[in-house]
Amino acid sequence: MDKSVLVRVPASTANLGPGFDCLGVALNLYNDIYMELKGSRLVIDVEGEGILNIDRDEKNLIYKAAKKVFDKLNITVSGLYIKTTNNIPTGSGLGSSASAIIGGLVAANVICGNSLSHDDILDIASSMEGHADNVAPALNGGFNAATFDGKRTYYIKKELDDNLRFLAFYPERELLTSKARGVLPSMIEFRNGVFNVGRASLLTASIFSGRYDLLKVASQDMLHQVYRKEFIPEMYYVIEKALDNGAYASFLSGAGPTMMVFTDASIADKVKESVKKVYEERNIKCRIYELKCDNTGAKIL
Ligand code: HSE
Protein backbone atom coordinates (compact mmCIF):
# COMPACT_ATOMS: atom_id res chain seq x y z
CA MET A 1 0.00 0.00 0.00
CA ASP A 2 1.25 3.49 -0.91
CA LYS A 3 0.62 6.15 1.70
CA SER A 4 0.28 8.93 -0.85
CA VAL A 5 -0.49 9.38 -4.52
CA LEU A 6 -0.89 12.14 -7.12
CA VAL A 7 -3.35 11.60 -9.97
CA ARG A 8 -3.88 13.83 -13.02
CA VAL A 9 -7.34 13.64 -14.59
CA PRO A 10 -8.40 15.27 -17.88
CA ALA A 11 -11.44 17.43 -18.58
CA SER A 12 -14.02 16.05 -20.97
CA THR A 13 -16.73 17.18 -23.33
CA ALA A 14 -19.88 15.06 -23.44
CA ASN A 15 -22.89 14.43 -25.72
CA LEU A 16 -21.10 15.85 -28.82
CA GLY A 17 -24.56 16.91 -29.99
CA PRO A 18 -26.73 13.80 -30.42
CA GLY A 19 -24.92 11.32 -28.10
CA PHE A 20 -26.77 12.30 -24.95
CA ASP A 21 -25.24 10.53 -21.92
CA CYS A 22 -23.16 8.18 -24.12
CA LEU A 23 -20.50 10.03 -26.18
CA GLY A 24 -17.53 11.99 -24.86
CA VAL A 25 -13.95 13.10 -25.51
CA ALA A 26 -11.13 13.68 -23.01
CA LEU A 27 -9.40 17.07 -23.28
CA ASN A 28 -5.92 18.29 -22.37
CA LEU A 29 -7.01 20.45 -19.42
CA TYR A 30 -6.35 18.82 -16.05
CA ASN A 31 -7.11 18.61 -12.35
CA ASP A 32 -4.36 17.17 -10.11
CA ILE A 33 -5.55 15.22 -7.09
CA TYR A 34 -3.15 14.44 -4.26
CA MET A 35 -4.24 12.01 -1.56
CA GLU A 36 -2.40 10.91 1.56
CA LEU A 37 -3.21 8.73 4.59
CA LYS A 38 -2.39 11.21 7.32
CA GLY A 39 -3.56 12.39 10.75
CA SER A 40 -6.84 11.45 12.36
CA ARG A 41 -9.43 13.41 10.38
CA LEU A 42 -10.37 14.58 6.89
CA VAL A 43 -8.51 17.65 5.61
CA ILE A 44 -9.16 19.02 2.12
CA ASP A 45 -7.31 21.83 0.34
CA VAL A 46 -8.46 23.33 -2.95
CA GLU A 47 -6.34 25.40 -5.32
CA GLY A 48 -7.38 27.00 -8.60
CA GLU A 49 -10.86 26.58 -10.06
CA GLY A 50 -13.69 26.08 -7.58
CA ILE A 51 -11.73 27.50 -4.66
CA LEU A 52 -14.86 29.32 -3.41
CA ASN A 53 -17.50 26.65 -3.93
CA ILE A 54 -15.94 23.19 -3.55
CA ASP A 55 -16.90 21.38 -0.31
CA ARG A 56 -14.07 20.73 2.16
CA ASP A 57 -15.94 18.12 4.22
CA GLU A 58 -17.56 14.69 3.74
CA LYS A 59 -19.70 16.17 0.95
CA ASN A 60 -16.59 16.65 -1.22
CA LEU A 61 -16.89 14.59 -4.41
CA ILE A 62 -13.27 13.37 -4.38
CA TYR A 63 -13.74 12.17 -0.80
CA LYS A 64 -17.12 10.55 -1.58
CA ALA A 65 -15.50 8.64 -4.46
CA ALA A 66 -12.53 7.59 -2.31
CA LYS A 67 -14.89 6.40 0.43
CA LYS A 68 -16.65 4.12 -2.08
CA VAL A 69 -13.30 2.38 -2.63
CA PHE A 70 -12.45 2.16 1.09
CA ASP A 71 -15.93 0.78 1.88
CA LYS A 72 -15.88 -1.73 -0.98
CA LEU A 73 -12.52 -3.06 0.22
CA ASN A 74 -13.49 -2.90 3.92
CA ILE A 75 -10.60 -0.59 4.69
CA THR A 76 -10.91 1.76 7.65
CA VAL A 77 -9.19 5.09 7.16
CA SER A 78 -8.71 7.26 10.23
CA GLY A 79 -7.18 10.35 8.65
CA LEU A 80 -7.05 11.52 5.04
CA TYR A 81 -5.47 14.55 3.38
CA ILE A 82 -6.70 15.58 -0.07
CA LYS A 83 -5.35 18.45 -2.14
CA THR A 84 -6.91 19.23 -5.48
CA THR A 85 -5.27 21.66 -7.90
CA ASN A 86 -7.88 22.50 -10.48
CA ASN A 87 -7.69 23.86 -13.99
CA ILE A 88 -11.16 22.70 -15.04
CA PRO A 89 -13.82 25.33 -14.28
CA THR A 90 -16.67 23.97 -12.14
CA GLY A 91 -20.24 23.88 -13.45
CA SER A 92 -18.97 24.64 -16.95
CA GLY A 93 -19.83 21.47 -18.88
CA LEU A 94 -16.18 20.45 -19.08
CA GLY A 95 -16.38 17.44 -16.79
CA SER A 96 -15.03 18.83 -13.52
CA SER A 97 -17.28 16.49 -11.46
CA ALA A 98 -16.19 13.49 -13.51
CA SER A 99 -12.56 14.42 -12.96
CA ALA A 100 -13.16 14.66 -9.18
CA ILE A 101 -14.89 11.26 -9.13
CA ILE A 102 -12.23 9.54 -11.26
CA GLY A 103 -9.44 11.25 -9.29
CA GLY A 104 -10.90 10.13 -5.96
CA LEU A 105 -11.45 6.55 -7.14
CA VAL A 106 -8.05 6.11 -8.82
CA ALA A 107 -6.15 7.71 -5.92
CA ALA A 108 -7.94 5.66 -3.26
CA ASN A 109 -7.41 2.49 -5.30
CA VAL A 110 -3.65 3.11 -5.43
CA ILE A 111 -3.63 3.73 -1.67
CA CYS A 112 -5.50 0.42 -1.22
CA GLY A 113 -2.98 -1.56 -3.26
CA ASN A 114 -4.74 -1.44 -6.66
CA SER A 115 -7.29 -4.09 -5.69
CA LEU A 116 -9.94 -2.75 -8.06
CA SER A 117 -9.65 -3.21 -11.82
CA HIS A 118 -9.89 -0.41 -14.38
CA ASP A 119 -13.43 -1.48 -15.25
CA ASP A 120 -14.46 -1.74 -11.56
CA ILE A 121 -13.41 1.89 -11.17
CA LEU A 122 -15.39 2.94 -14.23
CA ASP A 123 -18.50 1.10 -13.00
CA ILE A 124 -18.39 2.92 -9.64
CA ALA A 125 -17.81 6.22 -11.44
CA SER A 126 -20.77 5.66 -13.79
CA SER A 127 -23.03 4.75 -10.88
CA MET A 128 -22.02 7.96 -9.08
CA GLU A 129 -22.70 10.14 -12.16
CA GLY A 130 -25.62 8.08 -13.47
CA HIS A 131 -24.08 8.00 -16.97
CA ALA A 132 -20.66 7.35 -18.45
CA ASP A 133 -20.17 10.06 -21.08
CA ASN A 134 -17.76 12.14 -18.95
CA VAL A 135 -16.30 9.53 -16.60
CA ALA A 136 -15.34 7.07 -19.39
CA PRO A 137 -13.14 9.55 -21.31
CA ALA A 138 -11.80 11.01 -18.03
CA LEU A 139 -10.54 7.53 -17.10
CA ASN A 140 -9.69 6.15 -20.56
CA GLY A 141 -8.71 9.22 -22.60
CA GLY A 142 -9.72 9.60 -26.25
CA PHE A 143 -13.18 9.53 -27.82
CA ASN A 144 -15.50 7.14 -25.97
CA ALA A 145 -18.82 5.60 -26.91
CA ALA A 146 -20.06 4.33 -23.54
CA THR A 147 -23.26 2.91 -22.11
CA PHE A 148 -24.01 2.21 -18.45
CA ASP A 149 -26.74 -0.36 -17.77
CA GLY A 150 -27.01 0.43 -14.06
CA LYS A 151 -24.28 -2.06 -13.13
CA ARG A 152 -21.59 -2.21 -15.77
CA THR A 153 -20.17 0.26 -18.26
CA TYR A 154 -19.67 -0.90 -21.83
CA TYR A 155 -17.35 1.26 -23.88
CA ILE A 156 -15.10 1.58 -26.90
CA LYS A 157 -12.31 4.12 -27.05
CA LYS A 158 -10.71 5.70 -30.10
CA GLU A 159 -7.63 7.89 -29.97
CA LEU A 160 -7.90 11.16 -31.89
CA ASP A 161 -5.24 12.90 -34.01
CA ASP A 162 -3.10 15.75 -32.81
CA ASN A 163 -4.19 18.03 -35.65
CA LEU A 164 -7.75 18.35 -34.29
CA ARG A 165 -8.79 21.17 -31.98
CA PHE A 166 -11.62 21.56 -29.50
CA LEU A 167 -12.33 25.25 -28.96
CA ALA A 168 -14.23 25.64 -25.70
CA PHE A 169 -16.16 28.91 -25.22
CA TYR A 170 -16.96 29.16 -21.53
CA PRO A 171 -19.22 32.11 -20.73
CA GLU A 172 -18.12 32.25 -17.07
CA ARG A 173 -21.54 31.54 -15.59
CA GLU A 174 -21.98 28.36 -13.63
CA LEU A 175 -24.79 26.02 -14.68
CA LEU A 176 -25.53 23.09 -12.42
CA THR A 177 -26.07 19.85 -14.34
CA SER A 178 -29.13 19.15 -12.17
CA LYS A 179 -30.67 22.44 -13.36
CA ALA A 180 -29.79 21.74 -17.01
CA ARG A 181 -31.29 18.22 -16.73
CA GLY A 182 -34.35 19.61 -14.97
CA VAL A 183 -35.63 21.27 -18.17
CA LEU A 184 -35.51 18.05 -20.22
CA PRO A 185 -38.88 16.46 -21.04
CA SER A 186 -39.88 13.06 -19.65
CA MET A 187 -41.21 12.01 -23.09
CA ILE A 188 -39.91 12.75 -26.58
CA GLU A 189 -41.50 12.45 -29.99
CA PHE A 190 -40.71 9.25 -31.88
CA ARG A 191 -39.35 11.20 -34.87
CA ASN A 192 -36.89 13.02 -32.59
CA GLY A 193 -35.68 9.68 -31.25
CA VAL A 194 -35.17 8.50 -34.82
CA PHE A 195 -33.39 11.76 -35.67
CA ASN A 196 -30.89 11.29 -32.83
CA VAL A 197 -30.28 7.58 -33.36
CA GLY A 198 -29.31 8.35 -36.96
CA ARG A 199 -27.02 11.25 -36.02
CA ALA A 200 -25.33 9.54 -33.07
CA SER A 201 -24.66 6.41 -35.14
CA LEU A 202 -23.26 8.44 -38.03
CA LEU A 203 -21.16 10.53 -35.63
CA THR A 204 -19.56 7.45 -34.05
CA ALA A 205 -18.88 5.87 -37.43
CA SER A 206 -17.46 9.18 -38.72
CA ILE A 207 -15.06 9.49 -35.79
CA PHE A 208 -13.89 5.89 -36.18
CA SER A 209 -13.31 6.29 -39.91
CA GLY A 210 -11.95 9.86 -39.85
CA ARG A 211 -14.84 11.15 -42.01
CA TYR A 212 -15.01 14.49 -40.20
CA ASP A 213 -16.79 16.03 -43.20
CA LEU A 214 -19.94 14.18 -42.09
CA LEU A 215 -19.98 15.71 -38.61
CA LYS A 216 -21.81 18.85 -39.70
CA VAL A 217 -24.95 16.70 -40.02
CA ALA A 218 -23.91 13.99 -37.55
CA SER A 219 -23.58 16.49 -34.66
CA GLN A 220 -27.20 17.68 -34.92
CA ASP A 221 -29.41 17.01 -31.92
CA MET A 222 -33.10 17.07 -31.02
CA LEU A 223 -32.94 15.54 -27.52
CA HIS A 224 -31.42 18.12 -25.22
CA GLN A 225 -29.87 21.23 -26.78
CA VAL A 226 -33.14 22.84 -27.80
CA TYR A 227 -34.50 22.56 -24.23
CA ARG A 228 -31.31 23.97 -22.72
CA LYS A 229 -31.29 27.00 -25.00
CA GLU A 230 -33.00 29.04 -22.28
CA PHE A 231 -29.71 28.89 -20.30
CA ILE A 232 -27.49 29.39 -23.36
CA PRO A 233 -29.29 31.87 -25.65
CA GLU A 234 -26.17 32.21 -27.83
CA MET A 235 -26.16 28.47 -28.62
CA TYR A 236 -27.46 28.36 -32.18
CA TYR A 237 -25.60 31.53 -33.22
CA VAL A 238 -22.34 29.89 -32.11
CA ILE A 239 -23.14 26.68 -34.01
CA GLU A 240 -24.04 28.59 -37.18
CA LYS A 241 -20.96 30.82 -37.06
CA ALA A 242 -18.61 27.90 -36.39
CA LEU A 243 -19.99 25.79 -39.25
CA ASP A 244 -20.08 28.77 -41.66
CA ASN A 245 -16.37 29.26 -40.98
CA GLY A 246 -15.40 25.68 -41.74
CA ALA A 247 -15.52 23.94 -38.35
CA TYR A 248 -16.43 20.26 -38.47
CA ALA A 249 -18.99 20.51 -35.68
CA SER A 250 -20.27 22.66 -32.84
CA PHE A 251 -22.42 21.61 -29.90
CA LEU A 252 -23.24 22.25 -26.27
CA SER A 253 -20.47 20.76 -24.12
CA GLY A 254 -22.18 18.35 -21.71
CA ALA A 255 -24.93 20.20 -19.90
CA GLY A 256 -23.30 23.58 -20.71
CA PRO A 257 -22.94 26.49 -20.58
CA THR A 258 -19.67 25.94 -22.50
CA MET A 259 -20.08 25.72 -26.28
CA MET A 260 -17.63 23.42 -28.05
CA VAL A 261 -16.29 23.87 -31.56
CA PHE A 262 -14.49 20.96 -33.21
CA THR A 263 -12.16 21.97 -36.01
CA ASP A 264 -9.02 21.20 -37.91
CA ALA A 265 -6.00 22.95 -36.37
CA SER A 266 -5.18 24.68 -39.69
CA ILE A 267 -8.27 26.93 -39.45
CA ALA A 268 -8.60 27.05 -35.64
CA ASP A 269 -7.54 30.71 -35.36
CA LYS A 270 -10.02 31.88 -37.98
CA VAL A 271 -12.85 29.87 -36.44
CA LYS A 272 -11.97 31.11 -32.95
CA GLU A 273 -11.98 34.78 -33.99
CA SER A 274 -15.32 34.50 -35.77
CA VAL A 275 -17.09 32.64 -32.94
CA LYS A 276 -15.60 35.05 -30.39
CA LYS A 277 -17.55 37.84 -32.12
CA VAL A 278 -20.84 36.08 -31.33
CA TYR A 279 -20.06 36.53 -27.62
CA GLU A 280 -18.67 40.07 -28.04
CA GLU A 281 -21.73 41.23 -29.98
CA ARG A 282 -23.94 40.06 -27.10
CA ASN A 283 -21.65 41.45 -24.38
CA ILE A 284 -21.14 37.98 -22.97
CA LYS A 285 -17.84 37.65 -21.13
CA CYS A 286 -16.26 34.43 -22.21
CA ARG A 287 -13.09 32.44 -21.67
CA ILE A 288 -11.73 30.54 -24.66
CA TYR A 289 -9.72 27.33 -24.29
CA GLU A 290 -7.96 25.90 -27.33
CA LEU A 291 -7.74 22.21 -26.52
CA LYS A 292 -6.72 18.87 -28.01
CA CYS A 293 -7.94 15.39 -27.27
CA ASP A 294 -6.10 13.73 -24.37
CA ASN A 295 -5.52 10.15 -25.45
CA THR A 296 -4.15 8.91 -22.10
CA GLY A 297 -6.86 9.53 -19.52
CA ALA A 298 -6.30 9.50 -15.76
CA LYS A 299 -2.62 9.15 -14.99
CA ILE A 300 -0.68 8.44 -11.79
CA LEU A 301 2.15 10.95 -11.63
N1 HSE B 1 -24.84 13.94 -20.54
C1 HSE B 1 -24.90 14.82 -19.42
C2 HSE B 1 -25.96 15.86 -19.66
C3 HSE B 1 -23.56 15.47 -19.22
O1 HSE B 1 -26.02 16.38 -20.76
O2 HSE B 1 -26.74 16.16 -18.75
C4 HSE B 1 -23.47 16.23 -17.93
O3 HSE B 1 -23.34 15.38 -16.85
Side-chain angles (χ1 to χ4, degrees), residues 183-233:
V183 295
L184 302 180
S186 55
M187 305 277 275
I188 56 152
E189 279 192 43
F190 189 79
R191 62 181 170 162
N192 288 341
V194 173
F195 183 100
N196 266 58
V197 169
R199 267 63 177 186
S201 307
L202 185 64
L203 190 149
T204 305
S206 306
I207 295 281
F208 270 82
S209 54
R211 286 289 308 276
Y212 303 122
D213 58 306
L214 295 173
L215 293 178
K216 188 170 181 171
V217 169
S219 58
Q220 292 169 340
D221 162 72
M222 287 301 289
L223 282 194
H224 71 108
Q225 294 188 161
V226 67
Y227 303 104
R228 289 169 162 171
K229 193 178 140 241
E230 65 176 276
F231 303 123
I232 307 105

Side-chain angles (χ1 to χ4, degrees), residues 228-279:
R228 289 169 162 171
K229 193 178 140 241
E230 65 176 276
F231 303 123
I232 307 105
E234 68 276 16
M235 181 191 298
Y236 289 105
Y237 298 102
V238 170
I239 294 174
E240 191 183 356
K241 185 67 90 177
L243 296 180
D244 281 354
N245 281 276
Y248 293 129
S250 176
F251 45 84
L252 184 64
S253 184
T258 294
M259 287 300 298
M260 193 59 71
V261 175
F262 181 51
T263 180
D264 196 86
S266 59
I267 56 162
D269 282 346
K270 178 186 143 211
V271 173
K272 185 168 72 182
E273 287 312 311
S274 56
V275 174
K276 199 170 134 192
K277 287 200 188 88
V278 174
Y279 289 87

Side-chain angles (χ1 to χ4, degrees), residues 14-15 20-21 129 131 133-134 177 181 228 254-255:
N15 300 328
F20 185 74
D21 278 2
E129 278 250 288
H131 38 89
D133 53 346
N134 284 108
T177 298
R181 289 179 87 85
R228 289 169 162 171

Side-chain angles (χ1 to χ4, degrees), residues 45 72 130 199 224 299:
D45 279 337
K72 198 172 170 76
R199 267 63 177 186
H224 71 108
K299 190 161 88 177

Side-chain angles (χ1 to χ4, degrees), residues 18-258:
F20 185 74
D21 278 2
C22 63
L23 300 180
V25 173
L27 301 168
N28 66 341
L29 181 72
Y30 303 95
N31 284 356
D32 284 349
I33 291 130
Y34 176 79
M35 193 176 284
E36 184 178 354
L37 292 176
K38 184 167 139 182
S40 55
R41 63 190 180 95
L42 174 66
V43 177
I44 299 175
D45 279 337
V46 180
E47 255 185 29
E49 299 292 340
I51 196 161
L52 297 176
N53 57 3
I54 289 179
D55 293 316
R56 264 76 158 182
D57 56 15
E58 279 79 5
K59 293 197 291 298
N60 179 278
L61 207 45
I62 298 172
Y63 172 74
K64 278 192 192 170
K67 187 154 185 329
K68 294 255 180 205
V69 175
F70 300 141
D71 289 350
K72 198 172 170 76
L73 300 174
N74 285 318
I75 290 176
T76 310
V77 169
S78 47
L80 192 66
Y81 175 67
I82 295 171
K83 181 175 177 187
T84 177
T85 309
N86 299 338
N87 291 304
I88 310 170
T90 57
S92 62
L94 289 168
S96 70
S97 304
S99 97
I101 291 171
I102 292 294
L105 292 171
V106 171
N109 193 38
V110 171
I111 282 179
C112 295
N114 283 310
S115 302
L116 299 181
S117 71
H118 182 96
D119 285 5
D120 289 339
I121 288 176
L122 186 52
D123 292 338
I124 302 173
S126 299
S127 71
M128 289 181 75
E129 278 250 288
H131 38 89
D133 53 346
N134 284 108
V135 290
L139 182 64
N140 299 329
F143 165 88
N144 283 237
T147 288
F148 177 58
D149 71 359
K151 281 195 179 128
R152 298 219 68 103
T153 313
Y154 302 87
Y155 61 91
I156 296 191
K157 164 190 172 179
K158 166 111 174 91
E159 296 193 1
L160 296 187
D161 288 350
D162 222 33
N163 62 344
L164 299 167
R165 293 291 177 277
F166 289 84
L167 305 175
F169 294 82
Y170 167 48
E172 294 197 36
R173 50 178 190 264
E174 207 181 69
L175 176 57
L176 292 178
T177 298
S178 51
K179 193 172 167 190
R181 289 179 87 85
V183 295
L184 302 180
S186 55
M187 305 277 275
I188 56 152
E189 279 192 43
F190 189 79
R191 62 181 170 162
N192 288 341
V194 173
F195 183 100
N196 266 58
V197 169
R199 267 63 177 186
S201 307
L202 185 64
L203 190 149
T204 305
S206 306
I207 295 281
F208 270 82
S209 54
R211 286 289 308 276
Y212 303 122
D213 58 306
L214 295 173
L215 293 178
K216 188 170 181 171
V217 169
S219 58
Q220 292 169 340
D221 162 72
M222 287 301 289
L223 282 194
H224 71 108
Q225 294 188 161
V226 67
Y227 303 104
R228 289 169 162 171
K229 193 178 140 241
E230 65 176 276
F231 303 123
I232 307 105
E234 68 276 16
M235 181 191 298
Y236 289 105
Y237 298 102
V238 170
I239 294 174
E240 191 183 356
K241 185 67 90 177
L243 296 180
D244 281 354
N245 281 276
Y248 293 129
S250 176
F251 45 84
L252 184 64
S253 184
T258 294

